[in-house]
């Protein structure tokens, strides 16, 4: 008997509405004190983003997001509007979401979008792409659904003269994050970056194998890993860093960003997970016709199907200690052959 794949879970919202983890909190994230900067870090420099700039960004964001949604989710798909607001991986996640909504003729429209920034992690400007982590509370509605959430939003820009864009977001309680120093007051060292790279590599291995080595996965990442076991299908998983391969994923424009927060490190990373789904009994998979068209498949039946996701993880810890994933979020992607 043909089997119909379980619907793909979509990340359609800018601010995830999932419940935050209940693991023991770290030192509460708050405004900085002079004592929070480590003595081993580089001298203070002007920050890539200031708290004032963060407030200005979020004040203008609802209007820009509304325009981008209107273009992307309208009758005629327009990716350029999304590209004016989102950076990778969010751009690819929202590209999939808009194409999916068009394919299934979903007419729900975005509701209100608000975000009140409270905490900012931002290092000094580099020679290339720059990034900041804006943490606060937001409310967002989709159709008639709305909820409030505390989230960390990764903001990026390609140069000091470029506009900031939303790269990713994860749900996280404020008390899961260490105290943030003044933006630009403390720069991560080469050892800090190596710590973050090792942590993200270990998380990618965990998503592939289920073995958590050298880090604490936390509830949300564990739930993402276990989600495949609830489908009733046989699933083969591979996981790699999102985007083009690079010798240093923490370099400007890479899939990992790192900030110093007192004696701790805060890092965000994105992993691409590819899952090959088959019927454990050897049967054929059956796609709805609109999904077949979305993926440009030759038939509604196939021996196997492929799902792609961007998994964003927020990590904290001391340089000498074990990293902890304090937040995680996944979003569906188009297959590589169909990405813009």
């Amino acid at each position: 008997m043909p089997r119909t794949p379980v619907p793909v879970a979509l990340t359609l919202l800018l601010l995830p509405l999932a419940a935050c983890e209940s693991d023991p909190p770290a030192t509460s994230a708050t405004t900085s004190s002079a004592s929070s900067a480590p003595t081993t870090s580089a001298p203070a420099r002007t920050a890539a983003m200031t708290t004032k700039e963060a407030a200005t960004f979020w004040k203008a964001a609802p209007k820009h997001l509304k325009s981008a949604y209107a273009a992307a989710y309208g009758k005629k798909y327009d990716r350029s509007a999304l590209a004016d607001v989102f950076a990778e991986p969010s751009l690819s996640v929202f590209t999939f979401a808009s194409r999916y909504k068009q394919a299934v003729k979903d007419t729900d429209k975005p509701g209100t979008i608000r975000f009140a920034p409270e905490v900012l992690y931002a290092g000094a400007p580099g020679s290339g792409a720059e990034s900041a982590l804006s943490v606060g509370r937001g409310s967002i509605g989709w159709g008639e659904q709305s909820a409030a959430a505390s989230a960390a939003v990764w903001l990026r820009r390609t140069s000091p003269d470029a506009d900031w864009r939303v790269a990713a977001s994860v749900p996280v309680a404020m008390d899961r994050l260490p105290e943030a120093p003044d933006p630009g007051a403390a720069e991560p060292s080469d050892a800090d970056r190596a710590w973050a790279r090792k942590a993200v590599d270990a998380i990618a291995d965990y998503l592939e194998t289920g073995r958590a080595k050298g880090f604490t996965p936390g509830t949300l990442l564990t739930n993402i890993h276990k989600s495949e076991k609830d489908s009733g299908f046989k699933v083969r998983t591979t996981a790699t860093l999102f985007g083009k391969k690079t010798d240093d994923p923490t370099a400007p424009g890479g899939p990992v960003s790192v900030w110093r927060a007192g004696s701790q490190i805060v890092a965000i990373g994105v992993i691409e997970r590819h899952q090959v789904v088959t019927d454990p009994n050897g049967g054929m998979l059956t796609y709805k016709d609109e999904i077949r068209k979305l993926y440009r498949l030759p038939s509604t039946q196939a021996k196997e199907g492929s799902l792609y996701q961007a998994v964003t993880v927020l990590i904290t810890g001391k340089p000498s200690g074990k990293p902890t994933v304090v937040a995680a979020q996944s979003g569906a992607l188009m297959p590589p052959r169909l990405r813009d």
Side-chain angles (χ1 to χ4, degrees):
M1 289 289 291
R3 301 186 67 193
T4 301
V6 174
V8 178
L10 303 179
T11 303
L12 299 181
L13 305 182
L14 168 64
L15 304 181
L17 305 181
C20 295
E21 299 183 41
S22 58
D23 300 334
T27 303
S28 177
T30 182
T31 52
S32 64
S33 62
S35 62
S36 62
T39 57
T40 57
S41 54
R45 293 183 285 172
T46 303
M49 173 178 265
T50 65
T51 52
K52 183 177 180 180
E53 288 170 336
T56 301
F57 173 88
W58 286 113
K59 184 177 181 180
K63 180 180 179 180
H64 298 316
L65 289 169
K66 184 177 181 180
S67 298
Y69 288 144
Y73 298 122
K75 293 182 180 180
K76 184 178 179 181
Y77 170 73
D78 182 0
R79 186 176 187 268
S80 62
L82 290 177
D84 288 338
V85 177
F86 297 106
E88 295 292 4
S90 278
L91 179 57
S92 289
V93 170
F94 276 82
T95 295
F96 175 89
S98 57
R99 286 182 169 177
Y100 178 86
K101 285 173 69 68
Q102 285 187 327
V104 300
K105 296 180 171 56
D106 184 343
T107 57
D108 276 355
K109 298 183 182 300
T112 57
I113 302 168
R114 297 183 299 274
F115 187 80
E118 297 182 28
V119 179
L120 181 68
Y121 300 86
S127 58
E130 300 174 291
S131 64
L133 191 71
S134 182
V135 187
R137 291 196 62 80
S139 64
I140 183 167
W142 195 270
E144 297 180 357
Q145 302 293 323
S146 63
S150 177
V153 184
W154 186 16
L155 303 175
R156 307 189 81 172
R157 63 182 178 181
T158 55
S159 72
D161 297 326
D163 293 331
W164 289 97
R165 288 174 169 80
V166 174
S169 63
V170 288
V172 63
M174 293 286 187
D175 60 7
R176 299 305 319 281
L177 296 170
E179 183 178 350
D182 290 331
E187 285 297 291
S189 65
D190 290 342
D192 296 339
R193 297 180 187 278
W195 180 93
R197 289 195 298 269
K198 184 177 179 180
V200 177
D201 284 340
I203 294 167
D205 182 71
Y206 168 73
L207 289 173
E208 248 187 49
T209 67
R211 298 189 298 267
K213 294 184 177 180
F215 77 100
T216 302
T219 306
L220 294 182
L221 183 64
T222 300
N223 290 342
I224 290 173
H225 170 65
K226 289 182 176 179
S227 62
E228 64 190 48
K229 300 183 183 299
D230 299 328
S231 68
F233 292 86
K234 183 179 179 181
V235 181
R236 302 194 310 271
T237 302
T238 56
T240 57
L241 292 182
F242 182 88
K244 296 180 180 179
K245 290 185 178 180
T246 175
D247 292 336
D248 181 8
T250 66
V256 181
S257 277
V258 188
W259 301 272
R260 257 290 185 164
S263 63
Q264 297 194 56
I265 302 169
V266 175
I268 194 166
V270 185
I271 297 160
E272 180 165 332
R273 181 170 69 161
H274 176 210
Q275 297 175 300
V276 178
V277 181
T278 56
D279 184 342
N281 299 316
M284 298 290 286
L285 303 179
T286 300
Y287 293 89
K288 292 182 178 180
D289 191 57
E290 57 265 31
I291 301 303
R292 178 192 66 79
K293 292 179 181 178
L294 173 67
Y295 286 106
R296 300 180 191 174
L297 300 173
S299 171
T300 57
Q301 291 192 349
K303 288 288 293 182
E304 63 181 30
S306 284
L307 303 176
Y308 294 86
Q309 289 180 315
V311 180
T312 302
V313 291
L314 186 60
I315 311 160
T316 64
K318 293 187 176 182
S320 59
K322 181 185 291 189
T324 297
V325 178
V326 296
Q329 178 76 15
S330 65
L333 303 169
M334 294 295 289
R337 63 185 174 85
L338 298 180
R339 294 180 198 172
D340 295 331

